[in-house]
Amino acid sequence: MAVTVVFEDATLLDCTGRDPQPHTRVLVENGRIGRIQPAGSSGRPADSTVIDCQGRTLMPGLLDAHVHLAINDLDPPAEAALPPAVLALRVAHEIKATLEAGFTTVRDAGGLDWGFKEAIRLGLLRGPRIFISGAFISQTGGHGDHRARSSRLDFPTVAGLTSESIIADGPDEVRRATREVLRRGADQVKVMASGGAASPSDELDHVQFTVEELAAAVDTAQAVGTYVLAHAYGPRAIQNCIEAGVRSIEHANFLDEETADRMLAAGDVYLVPTIITYELLSVREAEGGWTPDMVRKIRQGLTGAYDALGLAFEKGLRIGSGSDVLADMQGQKGKEIACQARVMGAMNAIISATRTNAQLMRIEAEVGTLEPGKRADLILLDRDPLQDAGVFGEPDRVRLVMTGGNIAKNLDSASVAAAR
């Protein structure tokens, strides 16, 4: 028998853009949002479970459009040398912690195996809904090619449990690689369109993959009803992606006005900034596989991150929200919202991490806003996020998490009572 849950006396932040609605009652029935009415209204269902929100903020579960749940070490060879069981348990731990931090849906932007998504579906693992990208697709010497310059051997990986790339050169190889990641269960396809901080053979502004190569990935993904997301920093790389039909541009730290205008004109294109990973990594010194060159490039990326976001916001681009945090920083995903709030204001940053990310992932009919009929993915906060967007970076401030109508976390179990 389905349990009806009543959230009583909530301050409702529905993430549609409306102001918060204090003293609100929200009913959850059969895993869906039911009635939304003033607190204390008559007609509360008998035998319902009542959660006294005490005026705290109730809002949709967060969505993170750029996570790497299988990258839990900054030294990939050392990570790949660990026993597979240890790697799997580390990934499972991060998946559970991500849900408990308030993220009810995430898009893994490369590395995670489809099997973890299946484990969640089967009830073997508690976690958010996950959209899988699988292995990165990179050119030889590109951002996904982690081989040292002196190496002639394959880079060590443990498939699905650590970072993994498929190296492809030319449209035909890219098309084949795209088909391969889709065969393995990818929900969308990740390509590397520019250089990156963690790769040894390139700079951030290097352009990788031609328009024809990128278009081969896009065409192959579209043939099965999905899309491509692309790691891209600079204008030329981003413009190549737009011309090829890439839907989701990740990072874009060096976005310029001309490129922003092209993104806007293209229509169905989203920008996913990932500022917090640069903030966290920029204060680290080289050690444990993290080289001085990587530190230099991270700090270079941070110099443009906020300006690029400001330009995108001014131009009215579709701005999502991604954390891109790695290794022991995995627990700080929610800090991305505060980073974006510095530029966009708290409400806009929160909407990026809810409604806009849902649109990007094509699940806006189900989640992203708290409205009747939608899936009951909800979180309850003990601090007003519009006054302090930093609340999302403190998992203990997320007092309750509900996914699909089931309570996955409740730090205030004493506030739950059965209605009489």
Side-chain angles (χ1 to χ4, degrees), residues 5 11 32 54 70 84 88 124 146 156 161 163 202 206 209 216 218 229 253 258 267 334 371 376 379 385 413:
V5 179
T11 297
R32 297 274 167 180
Q54 303 173 29
L124 301 174
H146 295 293
L161 298 177
S163 176
D202 55 28
H206 285 183
F209 283 138
V218 169
L229 60 150
N253 296 43
E258 177 189 354
E371 299 176 278
I379 60 174
S413 56

Side-chain angles (χ1 to χ4, degrees), residues 118-196:
E118 181 70 357
I120 292 170
R121 186 188 72 81
L122 293 172
L124 301 174
L125 174 63
R126 189 172 64 183
R129 186 192 313 196
I130 303 177
F131 288 82
I132 300 290
S133 299
F136 308 106
I137 301 177
S138 174
Q139 69 175 45
T140 298
H143 178 47
D145 189 345
H146 295 293
R147 294 172 295 178
R149 292 185 185 276
S150 59
S151 175
R152 302 298 185 268
L153 303 174
D154 291 337
F155 192 77
T157 64
V158 180
L161 298 177
T162 65
S163 176
E164 180 187 7
S165 297
I166 298 176
I167 306 301
D169 297 298
D172 288 344
E173 287 190 12
V174 171
R175 187 174 293 107
R176 183 180 182 85
T178 303
R179 289 171 178 165
E180 177 62 18
V181 297
L182 291 168
R183 182 196 68 79
R184 296 180 190 176
D187 296 294
Q188 63 281 321
V189 176
K190 170 76 174 290
V191 299
M192 302 301 200
S194 82

